[in-house]
Amino acid sequence: MAWTKYQLFLAGLMLVTGSINTLSAKWADNFVAPGCGGSQQHSFQHPFLQAVGMFLGEFSCLAAFYLLRCRAAGHPDTSVDPQQPFNPLLFLPPALCDMTGTSIMYVALNMTSASSFQMLRGAVIIFTGLFSVTFLGRRLALSQWLGILATIAGLVVVGLADLLSKHDSQHKLSEVITGDLLIIMAQIIVSIQMVLEEKFVYKHNVHPLRAVGTEGLFGFVILSLLLVPMYYIPAGSFSGNPRGMLEDALDAFCQVGRQPLIALALLGNISSIAFFNFAGISVTKELSATTRMVLDSLRTIVIWALSLTLGWEAFHPLQILGFLILLTGTALYNGLHRLLLSRLSRGRPPAEEGEHERLLGGPRTAINDAS
C-alpha cells in the first residue's frame, strides 16, 4: 500500500527530529567558549543542564496532548476513548528512572562518538527482555532470545570498533571505554523505566503524549532543583567545567552568552524531543510499530553519516558489521522477520492492524523511547 503525503511527512519528521536530537547535543559539546569570571576557553560539557532542556521538551508534549484533545472535542464524529482518572504520582518512579538514565547518557555522550552512542542504546533490548521475564512474568519467544543474543554480539563488535579506532585529544581511549560502559549502564535504568510504565501506568489508559509530558514535568522540576547541590559537589575527572564540580549551570549560561550558537544547539535539542515523541506516536498510529522501529534504525545511519561528514569521528569498518548485527537483533526481537515472511507468503498481514495506535486512546507502545 502506497503511503500518503501525511504519512511520508510523519516518517520524515521522526527521522529528522530524532537525528537532530542526538546531533544537536553533540554539536553543543564541540563548542569552546570562556565561562564566568574570565575563565579560559573550554568545551561546553554540561550534561545535566542539557538533560534539563530535554525534559523541558518532553514537558511540552502536554501542550500537544491538550491541543489534540481540544481538536477531538470539536469533532463530535471523532471516536476518542475517554481518559480515565489517574494519580500523576504514578509517573514519579518512571520519571526518576528517565532522569537518571538520560543524565548518564548525556555524560557518556561527552566521552564517546555520536554513532557509538546511538548504536549502544540498542542494549535496552537485552535488559527489557530479561526484566519483563523476571518482573512481568512474560515468556519470550525463541526469536526474541535470538534477538537478545544478536544484540549482545553487536554490542561487542561496536565496542571493539571503538577500541581499535583512532582517538583524538578530546576523546582518549579511557574516556571512550568509560562512555560506552555508561551508555550500557543507562540502558539498564531505561529498561527498569519501561517495566514500571508497563506494570503501573499502561492499565490506566493514559495517552503516551500525556505520559511523556507528565514525566517531563517531574524530570524538569526535580533535575532543575538538583542543579543547586550539583554546583557544590566535586566530580574530579567526570567534570567538564573549570571548577571541577558535578555541574556548573552558571558557567553554562556564561558560555551561552559568549557563544550564541550553543543556544541554537540547545534549542534544537529541546524542540526536537517534543516533535520526535509526537512523530513517533503518530507513525505508530498511521503506519505501524514496525515502521517506527525501522525509522529509528535509519536514524542511527543518518547520525553516523553526518558525524563522519562533519569530521566528529573516524570511520571504522567494524562499525558497519556491528550495526548490521544490532539491526538483526532488533528485528528478531520485534518480530520483523515474521512480518517479512507474512508479506512474502500472503501479502499484507492482517496482524499489522493491531500495531496501529489512535492519537487519543487505544493500544500503546513504549511511552518514551527518545530520552
Side-chain angles (χ1 to χ4, degrees):
M1 183 183 70
W3 286 9
T4 64
K5 291 182 179 179
Y6 178 60
Q7 290 171 338
L8 286 171
F9 167 74
L10 289 175
L13 182 64
M14 179 183 170
L15 184 61
V16 170
T17 54
S19 301
I20 289 175
N21 180 249
T22 300
L23 291 170
S24 60
K26 193 63 181 177
W27 187 35
D29 296 341
N30 288 335
F31 281 110
V32 176
C36 298
S39 62
Q40 293 183 348
Q41 290 198 359
H42 54 280
S43 300
F44 185 85
Q45 295 188 11
H46 298 280
F48 296 99
L49 185 68
Q50 286 178 288
V52 169
M54 193 214 72
F55 284 117
L56 179 60
E58 287 188 4
F59 179 34
S60 66
C61 288
L62 270 180
F65 166 75
Y66 285 113
L67 284 173
L68 285 170
R69 194 164 72 168
C70 290
R71 180 186 174 189
H75 296 77
D77 57 336
T78 303
S79 175
V80 178
D81 288 347
Q83 293 289 299
Q84 299 174 355
F86 69 97
N87 185 351
L89 290 177
L90 280 173
F91 290 97
L92 183 57
L96 291 174
C97 291
D98 193 10
M99 181 185 72
T100 306
T102 299
S103 299
I104 292 174
M105 282 191 280
Y106 274 117
V107 171
L109 187 57
N110 288 332
M111 300 180 172
T112 189
S113 64
S115 62
S116 294
F117 170 82
Q118 195 64 37
M119 291 182 195
L120 292 173
R121 289 179 65 182
V124 70
I125 287 176
I126 301 170
F127 305 110
T128 302
L130 295 178
F131 289 159
S132 65
V133 170
T134 305
F135 299 109
L136 300 178
R138 180 172 299 154
R139 297 187 64 179
L140 299 183
L142 176 61
S143 61
Q144 291 178 304
W145 287 113
L146 291 175
I148 289 175
L149 291 176
T151 301
I152 294 173
L155 293 175
V156 171
V157 174
V158 171
L160 186 61
D162 280 344
L163 288 175
L164 298 177
S165 296
K166 296 179 180 178
H167 304 286
D168 52 28
S169 57
Q170 185 181 0
H171 294 120
K172 297 178 181 178
L173 179 58
S174 59
E175 288 186 352
V176 170
I177 295 174
T178 304
D180 288 354
L181 292 175
L182 284 175
I183 295 170
I184 295 174
M185 184 175 73
Q187 303 319 302
I188 300 176
I189 301 172
V190 172
S191 300
I192 295 173
Q193 174 194 346
M194 290 183 176
V195 170
L196 288 173
E197 287 172 346
E198 182 164 345
K199 191 171 180 65
F200 298 110
V201 176
Y202 282 166
K203 62 183 180 183
H204 290 276
N205 191 31
V206 181
H207 185 266
L209 278 178
R210 190 178 189 181
V212 171
T214 306
E215 288 186 11
L217 172 61
F218 280 123
F220 176 74
V221 172
I222 294 172
L223 196 54
S224 295
L225 293 174
L226 288 176
L227 289 178
V228 177
M230 287 180 183
Y231 184 80
Y232 301 99
I233 299 174
S237 59
F238 278 95
S239 173
N241 55 77
R243 295 177 58 248
M245 299 299 163
L246 191 58
E247 182 58 282
D248 191 339
L250 295 179
D251 179 72
F253 290 128
C254 288
Q255 286 189 288
V256 170
R258 290 173 169 82
Q259 176 51 272
L261 286 178
I262 299 177
L264 181 62
L266 295 177
L267 182 61
N269 186 255
I270 294 170
S271 58
S272 62
I273 271 291
F275 284 106
F276 177 73
N277 277 293
F278 175 77
I281 292 167
S282 300
V283 164
T284 306
K285 168 201 173 270
E286 294 288 336
L287 296 164
S288 69
T290 302
T291 304
R292 185 176 181 177
M293 181 207 73
V294 172
L295 288 172
D296 203 46
S297 299
L298 289 176
R299 176 165 65 122
T300 302
I301 299 177
V302 172
I303 292 170
W304 188 17
L306 286 176
S307 296
L308 290 172
T309 303
L310 295 170
W312 290 355
E313 59 183 274
F315 173 77
H316 198 287
L318 268 182
Q319 279 193 312
I320 298 178
L321 177 60
F323 173 72
L324 291 176
I325 297 174
L326 286 171
L327 189 61
T328 302
T330 303
L332 285 171
Y333 188 86
N334 288 280
L336 184 59
H337 63 291
R338 289 195 297 269
L339 181 61
L340 292 174
L341 290 174
S342 229
R343 283 188 182 279
L344 290 173
S345 60
R346 298 191 304 274
R348 181 180 177 87
E352 189 173 332
E353 297 297 326
E355 293 182 297
H356 290 253
E357 174 183 89
R358 282 179 290 168
L359 275 176
L360 285 169
R364 287 168 289 270
T365 56
I367 283 179
N368 180 11
D369 59 357
S371 57

